Amino acid sequence: MALLVVLIQKSGATLSGISQVLGGVPWPIYALIMLTQSIIVVAAAMKWRIVLSETLDIQTISLGTATSATATGALLGQIISIQISVPIVRAWVASKSGIRARAAAGTSLFEQSLELLTLGIAVLAGLVFVALGAAFATFSLIVLLGVVVAALKPVLRGSALVVHRIRVMIGEGAALTSLADGLNQAADQRSVVLHKLMGLSLLRYVLIAGLNVGLMVMFLPELDPMPLFVAFPLILLVSSIPFLPAGLGVTEVTWASALFLQGIDAATAAEAAVSLRIVTVSGFLLCYPFLAAAGFRRHQDL
């Protein structure tokens, strides 16, 4: 929060400027945001159900219950780190169905590890874009996806080894240990299951990137969206730092920096970055009651 305040003060952004950006968002756009964010949450819930079924041989968690738990974890992720809040809420919900909380939290970390792999692919494609151009970046993305799908297990084990070595280098890191364990656990799964999970992770990433970049271009029509798509993996990675609640402050600084590099003045860039946060969080808050109610209705039926 302090970093967000510093960004606004140092950039020259004003509350009136932020209000002006927000006032330019038509109400129907919020319906689109709600739909997109609902699909993103449901896709994550589907992934968790698959992992539960394959890892623990359990099929007692309904999609509605999994969706409600995932949405509630994401809501709490606006206060504490989402990498912490989602496993905790899911573990609590799963315990109500007779699943050990520790095992449920582990499956959640496993599911999240594939998100990191998808993000890594996007980062590599972005680097190729910077070095060789859009055509090569598109080609490289297709090749990377093909290689990862064909050799997903070795890639997962290699990623786990890299994470483990980073943990050893820095001397500590419980979160990195959990991540490495999740990657190794993922590598033990059947290939067809991993391909399903990877596909859902890719769908989520495309929707998240499209939503955020699309809104930013709507705020500032003069922007070229391609550099923003290239920069977005880094922005998403920053927002995923475990000790930051939803990447608050750091994400806005990263967005503002990306906009500044496109020639947008500092104040306008900061106002757009803060507005993006407000609009996306507002859209999620609007759809959250419906997502949470899915689990409640299931509980009532039981």
Side-chain angles (χ1 to χ4, degrees):
M1 178 64 74
L3 188 58
L4 190 61
V5 173
V6 171
L7 172 65
I8 294 174
Q9 290 179 341
K10 296 296 184 181
S11 66
T14 63
L15 293 179
S16 61
I18 295 172
S19 299
Q20 185 175 358
V21 176
L22 295 175
V25 181
W27 281 108
I29 293 296
Y30 283 97
L32 180 60
I33 296 171
M34 290 172 62
L35 175 62
T36 303
Q37 291 187 327
S38 295
I39 296 173
I40 291 170
V41 171
V42 171
M46 291 173 64
K47 288 176 59 186
W48 184 44
R49 290 185 73 234
I50 292 172
V51 174
L52 278 174
S53 176
E54 291 294 323
T55 306
L56 305 178
D57 296 323
I58 291 172
Q59 298 181 346
T60 55
I61 300 293
S62 69
L63 181 58
T65 300
T67 297
S68 176
T70 302
T72 301
L75 180 67
L76 292 177
Q78 305 303 316
I79 303 172
I80 63 175
S81 169
I82 196 169
Q83 285 76 24
I84 298 174
S85 62
V86 171
I88 288 176
V89 174
R90 283 176 169 178
W92 180 77
V93 170
S95 67
K96 301 299 182 181
S97 299
I99 303 172
R100 289 185 300 110
R102 185 181 180 86
T107 58
S108 187
L109 289 170
F110 163 25
E111 179 257 319
Q112 290 178 345
S113 69
L114 290 179
E115 298 283 333
L116 178 66
L117 185 59
T118 303
L119 184 57
I121 293 173
V123 169
L124 288 175
L127 293 175
V128 173
F129 173 86
V130 173
L132 301 175
F136 283 99
T138 303
F139 175 74
S140 67
L141 179 59
I142 294 173
V143 171
L144 282 169
L145 287 173
V147 169
V148 169
V149 169
L152 191 53
K153 291 188 177 184
V155 170
L156 285 166
R157 293 201 187 281
S159 300
L161 181 60
V162 170
V163 172
H164 174 71
R165 288 182 175 176
I166 293 174
R167 186 195 67 78
V168 172
M169 288 173 59
I170 65 177
E172 59 180 283
L176 291 177
T177 300
S178 298
L179 178 57
D181 291 342
L183 289 167
N184 279 320
Q185 188 180 22
D188 293 332
Q189 304 306 306
R190 292 184 300 137
S191 296
V192 64
V193 174
L194 291 176
H195 295 162
K196 287 180 181 179
L197 294 173
M198 195 68 186
L200 287 170
S201 293
L202 183 61
L203 171 64
R204 277 172 45 82
Y205 174 78
V206 170
L207 289 173
I208 293 170
L211 175 64
N212 284 270
V213 175
L215 285 171
M216 193 59 77
V217 172
M218 185 181 72
F219 296 159
L220 303 169
E222 67 272 25
L223 287 173
D224 179 0
M226 187 56 69
L228 295 182
F229 276 112
V230 173
F232 188 74
L234 175 60
I235 297 170
L236 190 58
L237 183 63
V238 167
S239 67
S240 301
I241 295 175
F243 58 83
L244 293 174
L248 187 62
V250 178
T251 302
E252 283 70 33
V253 169
T254 310
W255 263 118
S257 300
L259 298 177
F260 185 75
L261 290 175
Q262 279 212 51
I264 304 299
D265 66 89
T268 301
E271 289 166 357
V274 174
S275 297
L276 180 65
R277 167 79 67 175
I278 295 173
V279 170
T280 53
V281 170
S282 298
F284 177 73
L285 292 177
L286 288 171
C287 69
Y288 171 75
F290 302 99
L291 296 171
F296 178 76
R297 287 197 298 268
R298 175 66 180 176
H299 178 73
Q300 291 294 96
D301 292 340
L302 294 176

